[in-house]
Amino acid sequence: MSDHSSVHAEREAEGSLVEDLKGYHHNALYLIVAIVMIFLTLVLALQPLYLSRVLGLARENAGFVNANIQAITELVDLLFVGYLGYISDRIGRIPLIVYGFLLAGITALLSPFDRQVSAMIGVNVLVIFYVVRVLMSLGGTLIWPQIATLTGDYTRQEDRPLLLANVGFMMAFGVTIVYAVFMQLPEQIGVTPTMCLAGVFALIGAWLAKRLLVEMIQPKMVDRSFPFRDVWNLVKREQGLRLSFLSAFTARNDMVIVGLFLMTWFVYFSDMLEKTSHEQAASRAGLVIGLLGLVVLISIPIWGRVTARIGRVPAIVIGLLISGIGFASMGLILNPFSWGIVIPVIIIGVGQAGCVLVPQTLALDLAPEEIRGSVLGVFNTVGCFGVIFFLQVGGILFDWLGPTTPFIFMGIINLALFVYALSVMKVPHKGRKVSQDLDLSSI
């Protein structure tokens, strides 16, 4: 059978399974996406405030410690995320999602007891917090890549941009709810109860995933190692896949950079303001980051339609350009409490929506169904490398050169990748196997 015929046969088989899905299956997926984003974002957003108010971390080490904790969690994720994608091809996506929610929820509920555990075993409380955050992050690693792969399972290539836009919309909705609503709670009920709320959401996610999600693949319990050669040959053949991986290197950490460093900037800048507490600063930062989430929320459906209309690679080009300009313009802001910060935040939000949605769409398009989880595992592994790199560099820049430098650095990298994406767009004859069937001349 020719490559062209095999692609059509694969798509027909995939389409027949997708057609069996009901509307409530998609709605269940969207709900669980929102819940996992609420958990992941709330834990990250609370971290600077928790370290400052509960554990007493000083300003001098704030950038490094916050970035270092996140980088260590990403390093642990890096060890597992690729292999977990392969495991999901073997046993299915849903068991990993359920166990991930359980691990994340239990450890989040135990995190308020850091000091007691520290005193009991005689270890520095920061070490205990590091361990707890690693376990919470590992739970997220079990969940999120499988959610992304399951989204690919639930869609066909023709309708994938719009359905992934719906998933992206719920991602942004979860992020926006956290910063606009839940980050107002520490000032009202305290930091520790708010951290416990994150654990409750994770346990609810485990119950919903077990009850409502359906598996779209036949798990293949065979003795086969990770398909490195298959994935490597695919990456060598498809220039579009290489672009999607590079975009994952920068795009996955965009919200981490904004959420962590902007929150840290607000919290510790408040020390210069006599009448502003750390809780009030975190609340103000939550509103600003919530605005960014709202912009992403509004932009993602538009990006879905733009991607379906002009193609994946041109959409990536536009997203990288907008995102790069937004991050670089943060260098013009001196006071995070000034209203001028709204302009670059809005620009970042518009660009971020495209940079998160479109590369994943392109990767799912180019990934064969039988190794889809493995390809997405590599995609997420590259994203982990990006998070570690930008967090470590950003933490050092934050402490040594000032709070805006992590954003400026991110802008420079996005603009450099924009130039590369332009070169990919100008070579339409490469990576065309999927695009010939989809009439996506940009790939």
Side-chain angles (χ1 to χ4, degrees):
M1 182 182 294
S2 67
D3 284 346
H4 187 78
S5 300
S6 63
V7 169
H8 271 296
E10 180 180 307
R11 182 172 310 134
E12 288 175 2
E14 181 182 1
S16 64
L17 290 174
V18 172
E19 288 171 359
D20 292 336
L21 289 173
K22 307 298 181 185
Y24 65 83
H25 290 131
H26 287 112
N27 292 335
L29 178 65
Y30 301 152
L31 175 60
I32 291 169
V33 166
I35 289 174
V36 69
M37 288 309 300
I38 287 173
F39 171 80
L40 294 174
T41 307
L42 186 55
V43 168
L44 178 64
L46 284 172
Q47 181 176 298
L49 186 59
Y50 187 86
L51 288 170
S52 168
R53 184 58 69 193
V54 179
L55 301 186
L57 180 67
R59 163 67 182 90
E60 290 74 20
N61 298 314
F64 174 77
V65 172
N66 276 284
N68 196 41
I69 289 174
Q70 196 63 28
I72 287 177
T73 63
E74 291 293 336
L75 183 60
V76 173
D77 294 347
L78 183 64
L79 299 176
F80 292 97
V81 66
Y83 188 71
L84 287 173
Y86 156 73
I87 290 296
S88 77
D89 286 335
R90 309 271 74 80
I91 69 172
R93 329 296 188 197
I94 296 174
L96 297 179
I97 293 172
V98 172
Y99 288 128
F101 269 125
L102 289 174
L103 176 61
I106 292 170
T107 50
L109 291 174
L110 292 176
S111 63
F113 301 100
D114 291 342
R115 284 196 176 278
Q116 290 86 334
V117 175
S118 171
M120 185 183 304
I121 64 177
V123 175
N124 187 288
V125 68
L126 273 179
V127 175
I128 302 299
F129 184 73
Y130 269 62
V131 173
V132 169
R133 279 291 286 116
V134 165
L135 292 175
M136 282 192 279
S137 182
L138 186 57
T141 302
L142 282 163
I143 303 166
W144 182 247
Q146 287 25 276
I147 288 283
T149 307
L150 190 64
T151 302
D153 295 339
Y154 275 25
T155 58
R156 293 169 296 191
Q157 290 172 333
E158 294 83 354
D159 58 15
R160 187 162 289 144
L162 297 180
L163 290 176
L164 278 175
N166 293 340
V167 169
F169 181 89
M170 294 307 293
M171 288 173 55
F173 176 76
V175 173
T176 304
I177 286 293
V178 167
Y179 285 109
V181 178
F182 292 122
M183 282 309 294
Q184 313 310 309
L185 294 179
E187 189 176 359
Q188 307 299 324
I189 66 175
V191 179
T192 298
T194 309
M195 181 70 82
C196 291
L197 185 61
V200 171
F201 268 101
L203 295 181
I204 292 173
W207 183 78
L208 290 174
K210 181 70 174 177
R211 298 266 306 185
L212 301 179
L213 294 181
V214 295
E215 203 71 71
M216 292 298 294
I217 63 169
Q218 293 295 325
K220 302 172 183 177
M221 299 294 293
V222 296
D223 184 19
R224 181 188 176 191
S225 60
F226 189 96
F228 286 109
R229 179 173 296 179
D230 293 341
V231 175
W232 176 245
N233 288 337
L234 186 65
V235 171
K236 288 195 298 183
R237 185 173 70 246
E238 302 290 356
Q239 191 177 25
L241 193 60
R242 295 198 294 276
L243 175 61
S244 75
F245 282 8
L246 287 172
S247 300
F249 183 80
T250 61
R252 188 179 161 219
N253 71 80
D254 281 0
M255 282 307 293
V256 176
I257 290 286
V258 174
L260 182 62
F261 288 119
L262 194 56
M263 182 64 68
T264 306
W265 186 11
F266 268 88
V267 167
Y268 287 96
F269 192 88
S270 68
D271 291 338
M272 302 172 60
L273 307 175
E274 294 181 1
K275 297 182 180 180
T276 304
S277 68
H278 284 190
E279 288 83 0
Q280 290 171 329
S283 176
R284 180 66 175 269
L287 291 176
V288 173
I289 303 172
L291 171 64
L292 184 144
L294 180 62
V295 173
V296 173
L297 196 71
I298 295 170
S299 302
I300 277 181
I302 300 173
W303 278 107
R305 288 171 173 78
V306 168
T307 302
R309 184 175 182 85
I310 70 173
R312 276 61 159 164
V313 174
I316 291 175
V317 168
I318 297 171
L320 288 169
L321 176 61
I322 296 173
S323 183
I325 292 172
F327 275 105
S329 64
M330 285 289 285
L332 302 175
I333 306 300
L334 300 178
N335 179 1
F337 289 88
S338 69
W339 288 109
I341 199 171
V342 167
I343 296 174
V345 163
I346 290 175
I347 298 173
I348 290 171
V350 174
Q352 166 71 12
C355 290
V356 169
L357 172 69
V358 189
Q360 184 170 278
T361 305
L362 182 56
L364 286 169
D365 285 346
L366 297 172
E369 183 181 0
E370 64 273 10
I371 59 169
R372 180 178 289 153
S374 300
V375 172
L376 264 290
V378 176
F379 179 88
N380 286 296
T381 299
V382 173
C384 285
F385 274 116
V387 173
I388 293 170
F389 173 75
F390 286 106
L391 278 173
Q392 290 297 92
V393 174
I396 294 171
L397 292 174
F398 186 98
D399 290 334
W400 289 6
L401 299 179
T404 62
T405 49
F407 304 100
I408 297 172
F409 180 68
M410 189 69 231
I412 293 171
I413 298 298
N414 272 337
L415 291 175
L417 186 55
F418 156 75
V419 174
Y420 173 73
L422 277 177
S423 70
V424 174
M425 190 170 64
K426 293 176 180 178
V427 189
H429 62 281
K430 292 189 177 183
R432 290 290 302 275
K433 189 169 89 170
V434 174
S435 62
Q436 286 172 343
D437 293 322
L438 295 179
D439 193 27
L440 298 175
S441 60
S442 60
I443 299 179

